[in-house]
Amino acid sequence: MATIKGMSLFKKTGLIAFCLFGVIASLTSAMTAWTLYGMMTREYVSKGTAIAQSIAGASQEILLNRDAATVQSMIDQYLEIEGVAYVFVVDADGLVVSHTFVPEFPPMLHEVRGLKHETTISSLVLPPYGRVIDICTPVLAGLAGHVHVGMGKELIMAYFWDVVLKMQIMLFFVFWGCVGILYLMMRRVSRPLGQLTDYARKLAAHDFSATIDIRTRDELEVLGRAMMSMGQELALLFSEMESEVGKATADLRDHMAYLSAIIDNLADGLLVVDVTGAVSVLNPAMREFFDLDDTPCKGRSPARLFPEEVTAMAERIRRCTTEVLSAEIPLTRGRTGKAVGSSIFAEGPDRQCLGGVLLIRDITREKELDQLKTDFISTVSHELRTPMTSVLGFSKIIRKKLDRAVFPLLAGEKSVEKPISQVRGNMDIIVAEAERLTELINDVLDIARMEAGEIQWRDENVSMAGVLHQSVEATRGLWEAKGLRVEVDAGEDLPLVRGDRDRLVQVVVNLLSNAVKFTEKGPIRCTAVREGEYLRVSVEDNGSGIDMADMRMVFDKFKQVGDTLTGKPEGSGLGLPICRQIVERHGGSIWVESEPGKGSVFFFTIPLAGVEPMAALEGASATCRGPVAEPSGAPGVRVRTSPLVLVVDDDPSLIEYLSQVFEDRGFTVCEAVNGPDAVATARSVLPDLITMDIMMPGMDGHEVIARLRAMPETRDIPILVITALSGAEGEAGDMALVKPVDDATVIEAAEALLRGKAYGAACIVLGGRECNLNGMRVLCSGEVTFATAEEFWPLVENGFRGTVFISSEVVGDLELERLTRLDGVSVIILPPFACG
């Protein structure tokens, strides 16, 4: 509580009055005394002059007769006049004729001379008279001599100080009389002021029960009543505030306890660091992962608590970037964790970074199961190879011996011709199936070893033209057997790529084998062109093409494309997944473009030698309908004849629906069924627009959008979020629609984004709370607020940016011109009865 220090109002007023009165009294006394001194001095000069002239007039004849006795008797009588100090007369020769000095004439007066025709006045200091005024008057113009009269100044000074002393005594009594009167008056004023001060102190101390009673019938009484009223209002406000604060505190305490319970019971480890990199939050699971027990952690550097993998991620996420980090890190006791980290931002007018958060999940069991699966597949594959070698070898031997030794002996016997034909056919089937099973085992072993990281890669600088020619020669028997032709378009001047030559040959051989398998009429074209820092290879056929339903699974393991009604597809269904594994290991991506009845084109990209490849992404099984781009004549440049839309969703039905909606509008459509496919395809085909689902297994839509925004080539592609969640979940994109959606809304939103039109992050609906906007409300990626007319203007004028929907019933009562002047506000007037 503030304390009023210093003198009271009465003391201050008294001090000021004392000072003012002292100054006034001193000045008045000085002025009066000085005036009196001047007047008395003039009076003494006048009196001395009169005496001197009187003596001079009466002593003319006496001086001429040199009758000194008469002159002496004359001047002696003037000594009785008050103020006269001395009188003396000198003749024309300057000799003293008579004087009143006792016992002798002062020598210094011999020096005093007068004028012949004028009276002179001189100031002298003459012991023992002190200061005197000497008045010299000539007698007969100085012919008879001069008369000197001395007027004593000491009497004047005695009168002067007497007057000053009497005035000071009088003023002293006057002053204290005034002080008494002032004291009485100030007491009357200071008492209510003191009451007001005490009351104000009590209010400051939150003592609202105090009262004040001032009855002065003036402004102080009005002020007292006003303060009483203010105190009562403050008491009410403080009561309400304390009640609200109590409720808020209780809610906050409950909320914090709830959050603390959630954090403490998380199975995943949670680490939060502030912008300086110091630990701010650490849950028990994280302590258990790193055996920290009761080690003090808050405020300490992660480098002193965790291994370098965690420290490196904590250092990156505290730098307030938008990237989402993911990595496997070692835990204590031989365990393995999966860490995901990102920066934390406080949303508001000024987006503020608070640090970063790191979540770690113990995936030791999952890793063990994955390793167990890989070991099982590898073991089974290895174990199957030995009996399959025997089965295949003995089958071929039996077939050979039957053809060479048994069947010739039975030739010509009609009764055994049919059994011989059946046995020969059966043996051919046994050998063919054994070879197919062996190929399947080899493929399973290959893909298991790739997933386990057990493949030894022999990277070198490779000529892709040489790879294509070698692959064509390796498959010559296949395509010549069907009477097909294979064309290779790969100049010898193509730049080299960095990779494993044998594995790249395996990729092209697989693609050529598939093309031959589904092509009845050639040619099959193999091309290699440079696209920026990559080399793009394509294998194009003129076969039957791939249906949309099949395109989504051609890169999945054990999935095959074919007509199951007319024949069984050949192969293991692992060729294309192996191709994807090899291509992605090299830092490239693979995809297919196809139209039923017009053939298919399989593409893959490999980074050039000397170029740091981008991190391999999981999966790239995206498919596209129609030509994505046409060559422009310049290497690596594509020309689009229609907008390209990448549809991303894990629901095949919704992908098919959206694809048909966009195709009917004349768009070219590519598809991806998961997050890794979406990232890889977007990087490869660079679409004009991406539709994104949020809830996808593995890499969800938020992570996909974060990765796309982090890559320079894809960060500016507009993203339309189509999700079953609320609109707020789609804030990572440029616009959001909530499922279910209709085709008109989808096309309208897509065309708006393609035109570069941005909708606001929020919407206000004026005129009702149940509005049939025909799906338009889902264009709000932020909060939808239903406002009354009284709430409307404070909302829109308080920094709102977004879309305002206004019912036509209330639009007449609104100042539309005022609304349209606001920056960042779009206005949509709804038809009648749209809102109820």
Side-chain angles (χ1 to χ4, degrees):
M1 180 182 70
T3 303
I4 300 176
K5 298 181 179 180
M7 295 185 294
S8 64
L9 180 62
F10 174 73
K11 292 180 179 180
K12 292 179 181 179
T13 306
L15 180 60
I16 294 173
F18 177 80
C19 294
L20 290 176
F21 193 87
V23 172
I24 293 172
S26 299
L27 291 177
T28 302
S29 300
M31 184 62 68
T32 302
W34 184 255
T35 302
L36 176 63
Y37 176 81
M39 292 178 64
M40 289 187 70
T41 301
R42 290 192 296 273
E43 181 66 24
Y44 269 38
V45 170
S46 176
K47 184 187 292 186
T49 301
I51 293 172
Q53 289 177 353
S54 174
I55 294 173
S59 62
Q60 293 177 7
E61 184 179 348
I62 298 171
L63 287 175
L64 288 175
N65 294 327
R66 293 186 180 272
D67 187 358
T70 305
V71 174
Q72 184 66 42
S73 63
M74 183 187 302
I75 63 176
D76 284 340
Q77 64 181 344
Y78 286 103
L79 288 176
E80 298 177 1
I81 299 176
E82 184 181 26
V84 178
Y86 63 85
V87 179
F88 70 93
V89 179
V90 297
D91 58 14
D93 296 328
L95 297 176
V96 176
V97 177
S98 299
H99 63 84
T100 60
F101 296 103
V102 179
E104 62 180 352
F105 186 85
M108 66 176 297
L109 292 179
H110 290 294
E111 304 297 330
V112 181
R113 297 285 188 268
L115 299 177
K116 294 181 178 181
H117 302 289
E118 296 181 3
T119 299
T120 60
I121 300 172
S122 303
S123 294
L124 304 174
V125 178
L126 183 66
Y129 302 102
R131 292 176 294 176
V132 296
I133 302 173
D134 185 82
I135 302 168
C136 180
T137 302
V139 179
L140 294 177
L143 296 177
H146 292 80
V147 177
H148 289 265
V149 177
M151 303 297 295
K153 269 190 172 183
E154 296 300 329
L155 186 60
I156 297 176
M157 294 305 297
Y159 280 118
F160 172 84
W161 289 114
D162 182 62
V163 170
V164 169
L165 178 61
K166 290 179 178 179
M167 285 192 66
Q168 291 298 321
I169 293 172
M170 180 190 69
L171 290 173
F172 175 80
F173 287 106
V174 171
F175 168 73
W176 285 109
C178 292
V179 167
I181 296 172
L182 180 63
Y183 173 76
L184 296 176
M185 295 180 64
M186 287 302 301
R187 283 292 299 272
R188 184 177 180 184
V189 175
S190 62
R191 186 180 295 109
L193 287 178
Q195 292 177 345
L196 290 173
T197 302
D198 292 339
Y199 185 68
R201 287 197 183 101
K202 292 178 180 178
L203 291 182
H206 299 174
D207 181 9
F208 301 111
S209 62
T211 59
I212 185 172
D213 185 16
I214 298 176
R215 299 181 181 180
T216 57
R217 299 182 181 180
D218 55 12
E219 291 83 354
L220 293 176
E221 183 176 348
V222 175
L223 179 59
R225 292 176 181 174
M227 289 189 68
M228 281 282 291
S229 176
M230 180 182 69
Q232 294 172 357
E233 293 181 4
L234 285 175
L236 180 60
L237 289 176
F238 267 86
S239 176
E240 294 177 354
M241 183 182 69
E242 288 176 355
S243 175
E244 293 298 324
V245 168
K247 292 179 181 177
T249 303
D251 292 343
L252 181 60
R253 188 182 300 110
D254 294 342
H255 184 66
M256 293 301 295
Y258 178 69
L259 289 181
S260 180
I262 292 175
I263 292 173
D264 290 345
N265 289 279
L266 278 177
D268 296 342
L270 174 68
L271 169 65
V272 180
V273 295
D274 57 25
V275 291
T276 65
V279 175
S280 58
V281 177
L282 193 73
N283 73 338
M286 183 68 88
R287 289 180 175 273
E288 192 275 332
F289 286 164
F290 296 97
D291 291 339
L292 296 175
D293 299 327
D294 297 328
T295 303
C297 299
K298 189 170 183 180
R300 300 181 65 184
S301 171
R304 303 178 63 182
L305 303 169
F306 304 103
E308 60 181 355
E309 293 85 356
V310 177
T311 302
M313 293 188 71
E315 178 64 23
R316 292 179 64 183
I317 61 177
R318 79 167 182 85
R319 296 177 181 172
C320 303
T321 62
T322 57
E323 65 176 333
V324 178
L325 307 180
S326 178
E328 288 188 5
I329 59 174
L331 307 179
T332 57
R333 301 194 295 277
R335 296 172 295 176
T336 303
K338 177 74 172 182
V340 178
S342 64
S343 300
I344 307 172
F345 295 93
E347 298 298 335
D350 296 325
R351 196 165 183 245
Q352 182 182 5
C353 179
L354 304 179
V357 61
L358 191 67
L359 280 174
I360 299 179
R361 172 167 294 179
D362 186 353
I363 60 170
T364 306
R365 180 62 177 166
E366 289 83 350
K367 294 285 287 186
E368 291 174 351
L369 292 175
D370 186 66
Q371 185 61 41
L372 183 63
K373 177 204 69 174
T374 302
D375 293 344
F376 172 76
I377 293 175
S378 299
T379 302
V380 170
S381 300
H382 278 293
E383 294 299 324
L384 287 176
R385 277 185 168 184
T386 299
M388 282 308 305
T389 301
S390 300
V391 170
L392 182 58
F394 281 117
S395 298
K396 290 181 178 181
I397 290 173
I398 292 172
R399 184 175 63 179
K400 185 185 296 183
K401 288 186 176 181
L402 286 174
D403 286 338
R404 291 182 178 180
V406 178
F407 292 156
L409 295 176
L410 300 175
E413 297 185 15
K414 295 184 179 180
S415 60
V416 295
E417 287 182 356
K418 184 174 181 181
I420 290 174
S421 175
Q422 290 175 341
V423 170
R424 182 178 285 116
N426 291 341
M427 290 304 302
D428 289 341
I429 291 174
I430 291 173
V431 171
E433 290 300 309
E435 289 177 343
R436 192 169 74 86
L437 188 55
T438 300
E439 182 182 352
L440 173 60
I441 293 171
N442 290 335
D443 287 343
V444 169
L445 185 59
D446 266 357
I447 200 165
R449 290 170 62 195
M450 288 181 185
E451 290 179 348
E454 297 177 355
I455 293 290
Q456 291 186 353
W457 302 89
R458 299 177 179 85
D459 289 338
E460 58 182 333
N461 291 340
V462 178
S463 169
M464 190 54 70
V467 170
L468 293 182
H469 287 293
Q470 181 179 344
S471 302
V472 170
E473 290 301 318
T475 57
R476 179 177 293 277
L478 295 176
W479 50 268
E480 284 187 345
K482 294 186 68 172
L484 301 176
R485 186 175 81 258
V486 177
E487 299 176 354
V488 178
D489 181 10
E492 297 298 332
D493 58 343
L494 282 175
L496 300 178
V497 298
R498 184 72 179 175
D500 187 322
R501 181 183 181 89
D502 293 337
R503 294 297 178 180
L504 293 177
V505 170
Q506 183 180 357
V507 172
V508 180
V509 166
N510 263 314
L511 297 180
L512 282 173
S513 300
N514 284 342
V516 171
K517 186 188 304 182
F518 294 102
T519 302
E520 300 299 330
K521 182 180 179 181
I524 297 173
R525 297 182 180 87
C526 296
T527 60
V529 296
R530 177 172 181 172
E531 279 192 347
E533 302 299 331
Y534 289 84
L535 206 65
R536 178 171 61 88
V537 180
S538 63
V539 176
E540 180 181 1
D541 63 60
N542 295 319
S544 58
I546 304 174
D547 291 335
M548 179 58 62
D550 293 331
M551 288 173 66
R552 289 191 290 270
M553 62 181 184
V554 292
F555 290 100
D556 294 341
K557 289 179 285 188
F558 304 107
K559 299 294 184 180
Q560 295 174 292
V561 176
D563 189 350
T564 57
L565 296 178
T566 58
K568 180 180 179 181
E570 300 178 359
S572 63
L574 290 175
L576 289 178
I578 291 175
C579 291
R580 183 179 67 182
Q581 292 273 7
I582 295 173
V583 169
E584 291 177 357
R585 182 266 166 192
H586 284 80
S589 57
I590 186 169
W591 70 97
V592 62
E593 299 173 5
S594 180
E595 287 189 45
K598 296 183 180 181
S600 304
V601 184
F602 282 84
F603 297 91
F604 70 89
T605 59
I606 301 294
L608 301 180
V611 176
E612 185 70 21
M614 297 183 63
L617 298 171
E618 303 175 26
S621 56
T623 55
C624 297
R625 299 188 182 187
V628 175
E630 298 177 356
S632 66
V637 179
R638 300 177 180 180
V639 178
R640 292 197 179 121
T641 58
S642 62
L644 172 61
V645 179
L646 173 59
V647 177
V648 183
D649 203 294
D650 62 338
D651 186 347
S653 300
L654 187 58
I655 285 184
E656 179 65 24
Y657 166 69
L658 293 175
S659 298
Q660 290 187 15
V661 169
F662 285 119
E663 281 187 322
D664 292 344
R665 194 71 175 188
F667 294 177
T668 302
V669 181
C670 291
E671 302 166 354
V673 296
N674 54 50
D677 292 350
V679 176
T681 305
R683 191 187 67 187
S684 301
V685 303
L686 298 179
D688 299 298
L689 175 69
I690 300 174
T691 69
M692 183 66 62
D693 186 24
I694 294 296
M695 296 297 294
M696 294 187 294
M699 185 190 300
D700 64 9
H702 288 298
E703 185 175 353
V704 174
I705 294 173
R707 292 196 181 189
L708 293 176
R709 296 296 191 229
M711 295 188 291
E713 63 268 34
T714 59
R715 68 177 48 161
D716 296 325
I717 299 175
I719 298 176
L720 173 62
V721 175
I722 301 179
T723 176
L725 302 175
S726 65
E729 295 293 332
E731 290 179 356
D734 298 288
M735 189 183 298
L737 301 178
V738 179
K739 299 175 183 177
V741 294
D742 58 75
D743 53 352
T745 303
V746 172
I747 293 299
E748 180 179 357
E751 290 180 342
L753 287 176
L754 289 172
R755 290 193 306 267
K757 179 179 179 181
Y759 281 80
C763 292
I764 295 178
V765 179
L766 178 63
R769 292 189 174 272
E770 295 294 330
C771 297
N772 177 16
L773 307 180
N774 193 25
M776 287 292 289
R777 69 174 179 271
V778 298
L779 296 179
C780 300
S781 60
E783 181 182 3
V784 179
T785 302
F786 294 86
T788 63
E790 293 77 17
E791 301 168 339
F792 178 72
W793 285 112
L795 284 173
V796 298
E797 291 183 337
N798 192 25
F800 174 79
R801 295 293 183 271
T803 305
V804 177
F805 295 88
I806 306 174
S807 174
S808 59
E809 284 84 358
V810 300
V811 71
D813 302 328
L814 196 66
E815 300 175 57
L816 287 179
E817 183 178 355
R818 173 184 172 190
L819 182 60
T820 55
R821 285 198 298 265
L822 297 176
D823 293 333
V825 176
S826 302
V827 181
I828 297 178
I829 299 177
L830 302 174
F833 311 108
C835 292

